[in-house]
Amino acid sequence: MIRTLVVASLLLTGCSATEAPTPTSTTPSDKAAAAACTRLVYAMEEGGKPFGDTGTAMRAIESTDPGVREAGQRLGPAAQEAADLWVLNDPTVDKGPADKRLADARQGLLTACTDLFGKYPWPFTRTPTPTPST
């Protein structure tokens, strides 16, 4: 009787006795990538100040996905340069090239996130919006 209940419960959950349940689509296995991708989209939607991008890059670098990790390694220096220029606030300095590098690095991370998780909005984001701004 007990064995029948165990087998029935395993069939109902879709698992065998030797395999662990797979994570749901709302619980990604790469939490660092999920955090970095979510932070990136929110930063892009909020208008793009470069201060949070350094933290986003650090999370991306912790990812187990090589594409997200590589994109995070490119985002870090670009974010630091853009943030330094933002703080400097010197009207004689052309921020255009730094902003372009930051935008390119953000796009690279967004592409890596899309390659890993599919098209945004991802089910693990707290408050998805219809489309991220670029």
Side-chain angles (χ1 to χ4, degrees), residues 36 39 50-60 79:
R39 287 176 58 127
F51 301 111
D53 288 310
T54 304
T56 301
M58 290 181 356
R59 292 297 291 166

Side-chain angles (χ1 to χ4, degrees), residues 72-89:
Q73 290 169 341
R74 286 190 303 272
L75 179 61
Q80 186 62 51
E81 179 186 16
D84 288 347
L85 289 176
W86 186 279
V87 170
L88 181 63
N89 199 23

Side-chain angles (χ1 to χ4, degrees), residues 42-124:
Y42 290 160
M44 292 172 73
E45 288 174 349
E46 290 174 0
K49 294 180 183 170
F51 301 111
D53 288 310
T54 304
T56 301
M58 290 181 356
R59 292 297 291 166
I61 291 168
E62 295 171 356
S63 172
T64 58
D65 181 73
V68 172
R69 187 174 44 249
E70 222 174 89
Q73 290 169 341
R74 286 190 303 272
L75 179 61
Q80 186 62 51
E81 179 186 16
D84 288 347
L85 289 176
W86 186 279
V87 170
L88 181 63
N89 199 23
D90 184 349
T92 63
V93 175
D94 181 15
K95 296 178 189 171
D99 289 342
K100 171 82 169 98
R101 284 189 288 277
L102 178 61
D104 290 345
R106 283 178 172 173
Q107 186 59 51
L109 181 54
L110 186 60
T111 299
C113 292
T114 302
D115 290 347
L116 180 60
F117 297 121
K119 188 177 177 187
Y120 182 80
W122 304 298
F124 53 83

Side-chain angles (χ1 to χ4, degrees), residues 1 4 6 11 25 29 31 37-39 45 52 58 63 66 69 76 87 100 102 105 112-113 132 134:
M1 178 68 177
T4 305
V6 169
L11 288 174
S25 61
S29 60
K31 294 193 185 306
C37 294
T38 302
R39 287 176 58 127
E45 288 174 349
M58 290 181 356
S63 172
R69 187 174 44 249
V87 170
K100 171 82 169 98
L102 178 61
C113 292
T134 53

